[in-house]
Amino acid sequence: MGTRDNVKRLIRAAVIGSGPAGFYTAEHLLKQKDFDFEVDMFDRLPTPHGLVRSGVAPDHQKIKSVTKVYDKIASDPRFRFYGLVEFGKHVTLEDLKRHYHAVIFATGAQTDRKLGIPGEELIGNHTATEFVAWYNGHPDYRHLEFDLSREKAAVIGVGNVAIDVARILCRTVDELRETDIAEYALETLGKSRIRDVYLLGRRGPLQAAFTNPEVRELGKLTGAHPVTLPHEVAHDEFIIEAVETNKDQTAINKIEILRSYSDPKHHTKDKRLHIRFLVSPVEIIGDGEGRVAGLKLAKNELYRAEDGSVRSRPTGEFEVLEAGIVFRSIGYQGVPLPGVPFHEKWGVIENEKGRVTDPETGGHLRGLYAAGWIKRGPTGVIGTNKQDAGETVVCIVEDVRSGAVIDPPDPDRESVLKLVSGAQPDYLTYEDWLGIDRIEIERGKAHGRPRVKFTSVEEILEALKSGKKPAKSPDKT
Ligand code: NAP
């Protein structure tokens, strides 16, 4: 603290959501030089880190190590974490406006987009988001059941999530055992009878949303080999344009990788991971007893639309693909938050560079901001959120300077503590989380695994109660 003249103005910020966007927002705020920010982060789950814990594939442990950065951010004494505290249930927007100058929504995209084709009600038709949350031990999804007793599975979409799902279905149990996949998922996948997994892209290989390292990794699986059909990865006019005219090296590499997968000499493993292009599911076919039996696929061709984008349209031909289980992986979708303007079609909070806007007037809603997927939609990698949060924080700082943030009647951090303790006495601090983290890693060591996750709120609260719980004061972080 300096003298009275150079004491910086204290600004209190509430961040809703503890995934990458929430942490990068906190980091940018805490780094500000002109104002002294205090950040309280709320999450409806007891554990922090959002999709890094419950979305990033368990066999991508290196990516998960980004949580060390988040631990460092959380170690700032001006940061507090309130886990198991749900916005709209335990704390409302009105509550937050009483205690904070700025409220930042970083809640991500918690559901998935719909296909809208017949047969979606059939047993065995799932969303990738559910499957991913299930194998990652998300408490809300642990009770789901996936029947892996049929030999063929289909994954609709060719983004990186679709690749994750297909890869996890193709991993051997020994490969999975080296990960932090939920124990129940390890058991179910260990008994899987799936032999053929089909990834289904509606456009061509050049337009596939997956990235090169992810598709390259498919060629290195122990028990499965990728397969492409030569005619589906052959040169089309768009590949020629991109690869030969523009000399786009990423595109050249992508096509080369996919072409190499059509060579039968590489088809040597037990399971097959088929990557198909130019097909759109138009119906999920049932077995007559309410279960998924396959997909009716419309064959497509590419064309350039008026806006210059390359799109697919049906040729009028169809094929039927047998599949005992189907996963839809066509993108995540944001969900509305109580009292916060939401753009239903885009699945995001209405905002301008992160400032939440009033749909009626187009003006900014004082002191309300968004960051990450709930701000811009479900695109980009973890690091993309750092820049995105930076843009939001620039707006916050500008608004603090111009007096356009909230003027909270009770900005005392102790008042928040009282509010939260009253509404959710079981709330968790970051220190509680670090305790849980240590126990999970310890449990993993016994089995040669990075960690064995707790997958229910009750288990977590129990573990904290059984003597390992640090004193309950967020100020101790
Ligand atoms: P995504 O990258 O947007 O991919 C969605 C896929 O669904 C695209 O192939 C899209 O095809 C397809 N699709 C959309 N609507 C469809 C329809 N009606 N019928 C058939 N196909 C349809 O989304 P995502 O895979 O969920 O990934 C979300 C973000 O997380 C991405 O930025 C991704 O890179 C990132 N992520 C990264 C990693 C990693 O770095 N390892 C892992 C997981 C996720 P069109 O292109 O034709 O629309």
Side-chain angles (χ1 to χ4, degrees), residues 265-283:
K265 78 168 186 266
H266 299 308
H267 300 166
T268 54
K269 315 233 173 101
D270 287 349
K271 295 184 192 174
R272 291 160 294 272
L273 198 169
H274 309 262
I275 312 173
R276 296 285 314 273
F277 297 102
L278 296 168
V279 283
S280 282
V282 288
E283 183 188 342

Side-chain angles (χ1 to χ4, degrees), residues 60 63 113-115 156-162 164 200 202-203 207-211 214 280-281 329-332 373 378-381:
H60 281 173
I63 298 180
R113 293 175 43 205
K114 308 277 175 291
L115 265 174
I156 303 168
V158 283
N160 282 334
V161 172
D164 282 347
L200 304 172
R202 62 178 166 180
R203 296 190 289 161
Q207 294 80 33
F210 51 59
T211 39
E214 278 63 31
S280 282
S329 183
I330 60 168
Y332 285 82
W373 279 7
T379 58
V381 292

Side-chain angles (χ1 to χ4, degrees), residues 210-451:
F210 51 59
T211 39
N212 290 1
E214 278 63 31
V215 76
R216 194 177 285 117
E217 188 183 6
L218 300 181
K220 297 175 189 154
L221 298 173
T222 309
H225 58 255
V227 183
T228 53
L229 298 175
H231 68 276
E232 287 183 352
V233 292
H235 269 170
D236 58 41
E237 60 177 298
F238 303 102
I239 297 176
I240 292 169
E241 189 183 315
V243 173
E244 295 182 356
T245 318
N246 297 335
K247 300 279 180 242
D248 175 344
Q249 196 54 48
T250 307
I252 294 171
N253 292 346
K254 180 185 275 189
I255 301 301
E256 271 179 8
I257 299 164
L258 289 166
R259 285 217 182 117
S260 73
Y261 293 163
S262 69
D263 186 341
K265 78 168 186 266
H266 299 308
H267 300 166
T268 54
K269 315 233 173 101
D270 287 349
K271 295 184 192 174
R272 291 160 294 272
L273 198 169
H274 309 262
I275 312 173
R276 296 285 314 273
F277 297 102
L278 296 168
V279 283
S280 282
V282 288
E283 183 188 342
I284 302 175
I285 302 166
D287 66 354
E289 292 173 12
R291 279 199 56 86
V292 167
L295 288 169
K296 183 176 177 186
L297 303 176
K299 296 200 185 184
N300 295 332
E301 62 183 9
L302 297 176
Y303 71 102
R304 193 174 295 282
E306 274 177 18
D307 65 4
S309 62
V310 178
R311 299 194 190 167
S312 60
R313 66 184 164 208
T315 60
E317 279 180 71
F318 296 94
E319 69 171 275
V320 170
L321 179 74
E322 190 191 326
I325 190 163
V326 170
F327 299 92
R328 160 174 100 237
S329 183
I330 60 168
Y332 285 82
Q333 167 106 8
V335 293
L337 291 158
V340 186
F342 191 72
H343 195 297
E344 288 291 343
K345 192 161 170 235
W346 298 346
V348 297
I349 291 177
E350 304 234 5
N351 76 93
E352 207 175 294
K353 292 186 179 173
R355 287 186 178 100
V356 178
T357 52
D358 181 344
E360 307 269 295
T361 64
H364 301 152
L365 286 174
R366 180 176 281 266
L368 303 191
Y369 304 88
W373 279 7
I374 197 67
K375 167 186 168 187
R376 68 173 198 277
T379 58
V381 292
I382 292 169
T384 314
N385 295 297
K386 189 164 179 165
Q387 199 190 349
D388 179 286
E391 182 187 60
T392 298
V393 169
V394 166
C395 295
I396 298 173
V397 172
E398 272 175 21
D399 292 351
V400 170
R401 281 212 177 90
S402 66
V405 289
I406 301 163
D407 184 11
D410 183 9
D412 186 355
R413 62 184 349 211
E414 292 312 310
S415 303
V416 175
L417 194 54
K418 258 190 228 145
L419 169 78
V420 173
S421 321
Q424 173 52 296
D426 284 332
Y427 77 89
L428 277 83
T429 65
Y430 208 80
E431 204 154 285
D432 287 335
W433 155 247
L434 292 176
I436 291 296
D437 190 34
R438 278 192 294 272
I439 301 169
E440 286 189 345
I441 292 170
E442 203 53 43
R443 291 181 350 148
K445 270 187 196 150
H447 301 93
R449 305 186 58 196
R451 72 173 64 233

Side-chain angles (χ1 to χ4, degrees), residues 88-135:
K89 181 176 170 189
H90 302 111
V91 292
T92 65
L93 185 54
E94 289 316 307
D95 291 332
L96 298 178
K97 282 180 173 173
R98 269 201 306 281
H99 302 297
Y100 297 95
H101 298 84
V103 180
I104 301 103
F105 300 100
T107 46
Q110 294 163 42
T111 184
D112 65 291
R113 293 175 43 205
K114 308 277 175 291
L115 265 174
I117 59 172
E120 290 202 85
E121 73 292 348
L122 291 167
I123 299 166
N125 173 40
H126 302 279
T127 70
T129 50
E130 286 170 352
F131 187 58
V132 168
W134 172 78
Y135 64 58

